[in-house]
Amino acid sequence: MLLIGVAGFGAGAINALVGSGTLITFPTLVALGYPPVTATMSNAVGLVAGSVSGTWGYRAELRGQGNRLRWQLPASLAGAVLGAFLLLHLPEKVFAEVVPVLLILALVLVVAGPRIQSWTARRAEVAGRSPEHITPGRMAVLVLGTFAVGVYGGYFTAAQGILLVGVMGALLPESVQRMNAAKNLLALVVNCVAAVAYSVVAFGRISWSAAALIAAGSLLGGFVGARYGRRLSPTALRGTIVVVGLIGLYRLLAVS
Protein backbone atom coordinates (compact mmCIF):
# COMPACT_ATOMS: atom_id res chain seq x y z
CA MET A 1 0.00 0.00 0.00
CA LEU A 2 2.85 2.37 0.84
CA LEU A 3 4.65 1.66 -2.44
CA ILE A 4 1.48 2.27 -4.48
CA GLY A 5 0.80 5.52 -2.63
CA VAL A 6 4.37 6.76 -3.15
CA ALA A 7 4.23 5.81 -6.83
CA GLY A 8 0.96 7.73 -7.13
CA PHE A 9 2.58 10.77 -5.51
CA GLY A 10 5.49 10.65 -7.96
CA ALA A 11 3.17 10.18 -10.92
CA GLY A 12 0.98 13.10 -9.86
CA ALA A 13 4.00 15.40 -9.50
CA ILE A 14 5.49 14.37 -12.84
CA ASN A 15 2.14 14.68 -14.62
CA ALA A 16 1.79 18.27 -13.35
CA LEU A 17 5.27 19.07 -14.66
CA VAL A 18 5.62 16.97 -17.77
CA GLY A 19 3.23 14.08 -18.21
CA SER A 20 4.25 10.40 -18.32
CA GLY A 21 3.39 9.66 -14.69
CA THR A 22 1.91 6.39 -15.93
CA LEU A 23 5.47 5.21 -16.51
CA ILE A 24 5.89 5.18 -12.70
CA THR A 25 2.61 3.75 -11.46
CA PHE A 26 2.01 1.11 -14.12
CA PRO A 27 5.35 -0.72 -13.62
CA THR A 28 4.86 -0.50 -9.85
CA LEU A 29 1.49 -2.24 -10.01
CA VAL A 30 2.81 -4.92 -12.37
CA ALA A 31 5.85 -5.51 -10.13
CA LEU A 32 3.49 -6.02 -7.18
CA GLY A 33 1.66 -8.77 -9.03
CA TYR A 34 -1.30 -6.98 -10.64
CA PRO A 35 -2.22 -8.27 -14.12
CA PRO A 36 -1.29 -5.74 -16.86
CA VAL A 37 -4.90 -5.01 -17.84
CA THR A 38 -5.93 -4.47 -14.21
CA ALA A 39 -2.87 -2.28 -13.68
CA THR A 40 -3.68 -0.18 -16.75
CA MET A 41 -7.29 0.43 -15.76
CA SER A 42 -6.65 0.99 -12.04
CA ASN A 43 -3.86 3.41 -12.90
CA ALA A 44 -6.03 5.41 -15.31
CA VAL A 45 -8.80 5.79 -12.75
CA GLY A 46 -6.44 6.71 -9.90
CA LEU A 47 -4.46 9.35 -11.77
CA VAL A 48 -7.54 11.48 -12.49
CA ALA A 49 -7.18 12.98 -9.00
CA GLY A 50 -3.62 14.04 -9.74
CA SER A 51 -4.74 15.64 -13.01
CA VAL A 52 -7.29 17.68 -11.07
CA SER A 53 -4.77 18.96 -8.51
CA GLY A 54 -2.13 19.66 -11.16
CA THR A 55 -4.61 21.66 -13.22
CA TRP A 56 -5.75 23.60 -10.16
CA GLY A 57 -2.16 24.36 -9.22
CA TYR A 58 -1.56 25.91 -12.66
CA ARG A 59 -4.85 27.84 -12.74
CA ALA A 60 -3.10 31.25 -12.77
CA GLU A 61 -1.29 30.35 -16.00
CA LEU A 62 -4.61 29.39 -17.62
CA ARG A 63 -5.88 32.97 -17.51
CA GLY A 64 -6.20 34.54 -20.94
CA GLN A 65 -6.23 31.21 -22.81
CA GLY A 66 -10.01 30.81 -22.90
CA ASN A 67 -10.51 31.85 -26.54
CA ARG A 68 -8.17 29.10 -27.70
CA LEU A 69 -9.10 26.44 -25.16
CA ARG A 70 -12.78 26.65 -26.12
CA TRP A 71 -11.68 25.03 -29.38
CA GLN A 72 -9.04 22.71 -27.96
CA LEU A 73 -11.18 21.27 -25.14
CA PRO A 74 -13.90 19.86 -27.45
CA ALA A 75 -11.13 18.49 -29.69
CA SER A 76 -9.55 16.68 -26.73
CA LEU A 77 -12.92 15.37 -25.61
CA ALA A 78 -13.87 14.07 -29.06
CA GLY A 79 -10.42 12.52 -29.53
CA ALA A 80 -10.54 10.81 -26.14
CA VAL A 81 -13.97 9.33 -26.89
CA LEU A 82 -12.69 7.96 -30.19
CA GLY A 83 -9.55 6.63 -28.49
CA ALA A 84 -11.63 4.88 -25.83
CA PHE A 85 -13.77 3.36 -28.59
CA LEU A 86 -10.70 2.11 -30.43
CA LEU A 87 -9.44 0.62 -27.18
CA LEU A 88 -12.37 -1.81 -27.31
CA HIS A 89 -11.77 -2.77 -30.94
CA LEU A 90 -8.03 -2.70 -31.62
CA PRO A 91 -5.15 -4.64 -30.04
CA GLU A 92 -2.88 -2.57 -27.79
CA LYS A 93 0.15 -3.24 -29.99
CA VAL A 94 -1.33 -1.01 -32.71
CA PHE A 95 -0.60 2.09 -30.64
CA ALA A 96 2.32 0.65 -28.68
CA GLU A 97 4.35 0.30 -31.88
CA VAL A 98 4.01 3.97 -32.84
CA VAL A 99 4.47 5.45 -29.35
CA PRO A 100 8.31 5.65 -29.55
CA VAL A 101 8.13 7.49 -32.89
CA LEU A 102 5.54 9.94 -31.56
CA LEU A 103 7.56 10.52 -28.40
CA ILE A 104 10.76 11.24 -30.35
CA LEU A 105 8.88 13.70 -32.56
CA ALA A 106 7.36 15.41 -29.53
CA LEU A 107 10.77 15.76 -27.81
CA VAL A 108 12.23 17.31 -30.97
CA LEU A 109 9.37 19.83 -31.02
CA VAL A 110 9.87 20.62 -27.31
CA VAL A 111 13.57 21.36 -27.89
CA ALA A 112 12.96 23.28 -31.12
CA GLY A 113 9.95 25.15 -29.73
CA PRO A 114 11.72 28.49 -28.98
CA ARG A 115 13.31 28.60 -32.45
CA ILE A 116 10.01 27.75 -34.12
CA GLN A 117 8.29 30.50 -32.13
CA SER A 118 10.98 33.01 -33.09
CA TRP A 119 10.63 32.07 -36.74
CA THR A 120 6.84 32.42 -36.72
CA ALA A 121 7.14 35.77 -34.87
CA ARG A 122 9.47 37.10 -37.59
CA ARG A 123 7.07 35.96 -40.29
CA ALA A 124 4.18 37.65 -38.53
CA GLU A 125 6.09 40.93 -38.27
CA VAL A 126 7.04 40.80 -41.96
CA ALA A 127 3.35 40.24 -42.79
CA GLY A 128 2.35 43.15 -40.57
CA ARG A 129 0.61 41.01 -37.93
CA SER A 130 1.09 40.92 -34.19
CA PRO A 131 3.42 38.05 -33.11
CA GLU A 132 0.67 36.96 -30.69
CA HIS A 133 -1.89 36.63 -33.48
CA ILE A 134 -2.86 33.04 -34.34
CA THR A 135 -3.98 32.69 -37.94
CA PRO A 136 -7.09 30.59 -38.73
CA GLY A 137 -4.90 28.06 -40.51
CA ARG A 138 -2.62 27.62 -37.54
CA MET A 139 -5.63 27.33 -35.22
CA ALA A 140 -7.06 24.60 -37.44
CA VAL A 141 -3.79 22.67 -37.31
CA LEU A 142 -3.65 23.14 -33.53
CA VAL A 143 -7.19 21.82 -33.05
CA LEU A 144 -6.47 18.86 -35.34
CA GLY A 145 -3.26 18.11 -33.44
CA THR A 146 -5.09 18.36 -30.12
CA PHE A 147 -7.73 15.94 -31.42
CA ALA A 148 -5.03 13.48 -32.56
CA VAL A 149 -3.30 13.57 -29.16
CA GLY A 150 -6.73 13.09 -27.56
CA VAL A 151 -7.25 9.91 -29.59
CA TYR A 152 -3.83 8.70 -28.50
CA GLY A 153 -4.50 9.61 -24.87
CA GLY A 154 -7.91 7.94 -24.81
CA TYR A 155 -6.28 4.73 -26.04
CA PHE A 156 -2.74 4.77 -24.63
CA THR A 157 -2.32 7.44 -21.96
CA ALA A 158 1.46 7.33 -21.41
CA ALA A 159 3.36 10.50 -22.46
CA GLN A 160 0.34 12.36 -23.86
CA GLY A 161 1.46 15.47 -21.94
CA ILE A 162 4.78 15.58 -23.78
CA LEU A 163 2.96 15.23 -27.11
CA LEU A 164 0.63 18.12 -26.22
CA VAL A 165 3.48 20.44 -25.21
CA GLY A 166 5.33 19.52 -28.40
CA VAL A 167 2.33 20.31 -30.61
CA MET A 168 1.51 23.58 -28.84
CA GLY A 169 5.15 24.66 -28.73
CA ALA A 170 5.37 24.40 -32.50
CA LEU A 171 2.20 26.40 -33.11
CA LEU A 172 1.63 28.88 -30.28
CA PRO A 173 3.36 32.12 -29.24
CA GLU A 174 3.06 31.12 -25.58
CA SER A 175 5.52 30.54 -22.75
CA VAL A 176 6.24 26.94 -21.82
CA GLN A 177 4.62 27.45 -18.40
CA ARG A 178 1.35 28.62 -19.97
CA MET A 179 1.43 25.73 -22.41
CA ASN A 180 2.02 23.38 -19.50
CA ALA A 181 -1.08 24.76 -17.79
CA ALA A 182 -3.16 24.16 -20.92
CA LYS A 183 -1.64 20.70 -21.22
CA ASN A 184 -2.77 19.82 -17.71
CA LEU A 185 -6.35 20.87 -18.43
CA LEU A 186 -6.52 19.06 -21.78
CA ALA A 187 -4.97 15.91 -20.30
CA LEU A 188 -7.51 16.03 -17.47
CA VAL A 189 -10.34 15.85 -20.01
CA VAL A 190 -8.74 12.86 -21.74
CA ASN A 191 -7.99 11.08 -18.46
CA CYS A 192 -11.59 11.51 -17.29
CA VAL A 193 -12.92 9.97 -20.50
CA ALA A 194 -10.51 7.03 -20.23
CA ALA A 195 -11.40 6.46 -16.57
CA VAL A 196 -15.14 6.54 -17.28
CA ALA A 197 -14.71 4.16 -20.21
CA TYR A 198 -12.74 1.68 -18.11
CA SER A 199 -15.24 1.93 -15.26
CA VAL A 200 -18.24 1.30 -17.51
CA VAL A 201 -16.73 -1.46 -19.63
CA ALA A 202 -14.70 -3.35 -17.02
CA PHE A 203 -15.79 -2.25 -13.55
CA GLY A 204 -15.00 -5.65 -12.05
CA ARG A 205 -11.48 -5.79 -13.47
CA ILE A 206 -10.36 -2.59 -11.76
CA SER A 207 -8.59 -2.87 -8.41
CA TRP A 208 -10.42 -0.10 -6.62
CA SER A 209 -8.12 -0.28 -3.61
CA ALA A 210 -5.08 0.33 -5.81
CA ALA A 211 -6.92 3.08 -7.69
CA ALA A 212 -7.81 4.76 -4.39
CA LEU A 213 -4.17 4.65 -3.19
CA ILE A 214 -2.95 6.10 -6.49
CA ALA A 215 -5.65 8.78 -6.32
CA ALA A 216 -4.62 9.83 -2.81
CA GLY A 217 -0.92 9.93 -3.70
CA SER A 218 -1.38 11.66 -7.06
CA LEU A 219 -3.73 14.27 -5.59
CA LEU A 220 -0.97 15.42 -3.25
CA GLY A 221 1.72 14.95 -5.89
CA GLY A 222 -0.16 17.14 -8.35
CA PHE A 223 -0.25 20.02 -5.87
CA VAL A 224 3.46 19.64 -5.09
CA GLY A 225 4.45 19.31 -8.75
CA ALA A 226 2.47 22.37 -9.76
CA ARG A 227 3.82 24.44 -6.86
CA TYR A 228 7.47 23.81 -7.62
CA GLY A 229 7.10 23.39 -11.38
CA ARG A 230 5.77 26.93 -11.72
CA ARG A 231 9.03 28.20 -10.22
CA LEU A 232 11.22 26.56 -12.87
CA SER A 233 12.71 28.70 -15.61
CA PRO A 234 11.54 27.95 -19.18
CA THR A 235 14.87 26.28 -19.94
CA ALA A 236 14.75 24.14 -16.79
CA LEU A 237 11.16 23.09 -17.51
CA ARG A 238 11.99 22.16 -21.09
CA GLY A 239 15.02 20.24 -19.83
CA THR A 240 12.85 18.36 -17.33
CA ILE A 241 10.38 17.46 -20.08
CA VAL A 242 13.17 16.15 -22.30
CA VAL A 243 14.84 14.12 -19.54
CA VAL A 244 11.59 12.50 -18.44
CA GLY A 245 10.67 11.89 -22.07
CA LEU A 246 13.98 10.15 -22.77
CA ILE A 247 13.56 7.96 -19.68
CA GLY A 248 10.05 7.08 -20.83
CA LEU A 249 11.32 6.34 -24.33
CA TYR A 250 13.97 4.00 -22.93
CA ARG A 251 11.43 2.15 -20.82
CA LEU A 252 8.99 1.81 -23.71
CA LEU A 253 11.72 0.44 -26.00
CA ALA A 254 13.01 -1.87 -23.27
CA VAL A 255 9.55 -3.33 -22.74
CA SER A 256 8.96 -3.84 -26.45
Side-chain angles (χ1 to χ4, degrees):
M1 291 175 65
L2 180 61
L3 285 174
I4 294 173
V6 170
F9 175 86
I14 288 180
N15 277 343
L17 281 170
V18 181
S20 303
T22 295
L23 299 175
I24 295 178
T25 45
F26 176 76
T28 299
L29 292 178
V30 172
L32 292 174
Y34 290 88
V37 173
T38 297
T40 297
M41 295 181 177
S42 306
N43 176 67
V45 172
L47 286 180
V48 169
S51 297
V52 171
S53 59
T55 301
W56 178 257
Y58 266 93
R59 64 192 181 280
E61 284 74 15
L62 284 172
R63 295 192 186 107
Q65 301 192 58
N67 288 336
R68 172 169 42 78
L69 286 171
R70 66 189 177 94
W71 295 100
Q72 284 186 275
L73 284 170
S76 279
L77 178 62
V81 170
L82 177 57
F85 174 81
L86 293 176
L87 178 67
L88 305 177
H89 296 84
L90 294 177
E92 185 175 336
K93 66 179 182 179
V94 172
F95 268 51
E97 291 175 354
V98 302
V99 170
V101 177
L102 293 175
L103 191 50
I104 291 172
L105 176 61
L107 291 174
V108 170
L109 291 175
V110 170
V111 173
R115 294 186 179 181
I116 295 174
Q117 290 175 351
S118 297
W119 177 73
T120 54
R122 288 195 299 270
R123 286 194 61 188
E125 290 174 355
V126 169
R129 300 190 307 268
S130 168
E132 286 75 30
H133 175 68
I134 303 176
T135 63
R138 205 184 333 170
M139 178 63 78
V141 174
L142 175 65
V143 171
L144 183 61
T146 303
F147 171 79
V149 176
V151 175
Y152 165 88
Y155 190 101
F156 194 92
T157 57
Q160 64 168 318
I162 296 175
L163 295 177
L164 278 170
V165 172
V167 170
M168 289 189 289
L171 296 169
L172 296 178
E174 293 279 7
S175 71
V176 67
Q177 289 286 12
R178 284 172 59 80
M179 288 188 291
N180 200 44
K183 175 267 293 179
N184 285 343
L185 179 59
L186 295 170
L188 171 60
V189 172
V190 175
N191 290 343
C192 285
V193 171
V196 169
Y198 287 140
S199 299
V200 171
V201 174
F203 185 91
R205 301 185 70 179
I206 297 172
S207 171
W208 291 100
S209 59
L213 290 168
I214 291 173
S218 68
L219 183 67
L220 180 58
F223 280 121
V224 173
R227 177 176 181 179
Y228 291 100
R230 294 172 64 232
R231 301 178 183 179
L232 293 176
S233 68
T235 300
L237 183 54
R238 288 184 188 275
T240 302
I241 293 172
V242 171
V243 169
V244 173
L246 289 173
I247 293 172
L249 179 63
Y250 169 77
R251 296 193 68 164
L252 288 170
L253 293 175
V255 170
S256 60

